[in-house]
Amino acid sequence: MKKLLLIILFFSLPSISHGNQFTEIISNDIKLEYITHTIGSETYDIKVWLSDDVQSLSSISRDYWAISGINWVFFCPADYTACKWKNFTINERFTDGFDQSFYTDTGERWVFWWDENTIPFIHQTAKINSDQRANIYEGLWNFPIIYANGKNMLEYYHDVGLYDKKMSASMPRHFICANKDKTKIFFGTTSSTSLDSLAPALYNIGCWDWLNLDAGASTHFNYNGRELEVWSRKVLDWFLIIPKSFNAVAVNQRVDFAMIEVRR
């Protein structure tokens, strides 16, 4: 009985911190539900998590004790005929200082990233922070970028013909952004809206560098272990909040040892 009690105590984690704060507000008639991670939190880390095979946010969270998270970016899913019934991505992926990208040039894509000190930036080859690719510690691409250094970039997409029907349609959105002072990172979901209408709503909460994220059938968002939005498709990339004091390997070893002791 004592051994079982120790396991329960070991898995107890704090749920409230400035590194994992949930907010629900109405901005410009759009409902926003988002998590704020304050950089330098003593309690929580923010992580990009990658997989070679599709998984759900729920399973990744259980495996790595992430308490909050969101699905990340567009990929080629097996349920698309054009993807030939395979799940894969060939775009920019960075984790733990390793560049796992297929391309060396982002083209019209953008990378939302942070350095080894979790200071957030955006990167686009030959355009924004073009000389900083080697300093990307963790990050992922997506399209489109909405704000770059506080400037609304959607006009550019209109001008070059890249603002498509899905961008103009009213539908729920996912986003990740950083504030001007690079002290906070926000990620979350919205009620149905176009990207043009969403831009001022997110500017109101302090988004300075802002990247669109995948939604639709890939939608998955949770906070403190509670599922806020769950759709059907499993994905390859996630954005997670993980307690700093947690060590997944140590926990697995301790649980295995405890179970052996109980069986004896």
Side-chain angles (χ1 to χ4, degrees), residues 40-80:
S41 166
E42 296 179 358
T43 312
Y44 295 106
D45 275 328
I46 190 168
K47 296 288 294 180
V48 169
W49 217 269
L50 310 179
S51 176
D52 293 328
D53 192 16
V54 290
Q55 298 185 53
S56 70
L57 175 60
S58 301
S59 64
I60 287 294
S61 298
R62 285 193 299 269
D63 289 346
Y64 298 101
W65 211 251
I67 63 170
S68 300
I70 197 167
N71 62 287
W72 200 284
V73 297
F74 299 106
F75 72 109
C76 211
D79 51 300
Y80 279 23

Side-chain angles (χ1 to χ4, degrees), residues 115-180:
D115 63 16
E116 204 162 2
N117 297 313
T118 324
I119 305 303
F121 296 89
I122 53 175
H123 164 74
Q124 187 182 34
T125 303
K127 293 184 179 180
I128 294 186
N129 292 318
S130 58
D131 61 341
Q132 294 294 309
R133 183 163 180 142
N135 295 325
I136 299 177
Y137 187 71
E138 292 190 329
L140 286 168
W141 79 285
N142 212 6
F143 175 88
I145 189 80
I146 314 300
Y147 280 116
N149 298 322
K151 179 182 178 181
N152 189 329
M153 301 299 294
L154 292 176
E155 183 177 348
Y156 166 78
Y157 294 111
H158 282 287
D159 290 345
V160 298
L162 292 175
Y163 192 89
D164 61 27
K165 292 181 179 179
K166 284 189 175 181
M167 296 179 193
S168 61
S170 181
M171 62 178 64
R173 307 285 177 177
H174 279 186
F175 67 91
I176 183 169
C177 67
N179 66 345
K180 183 177 181 179

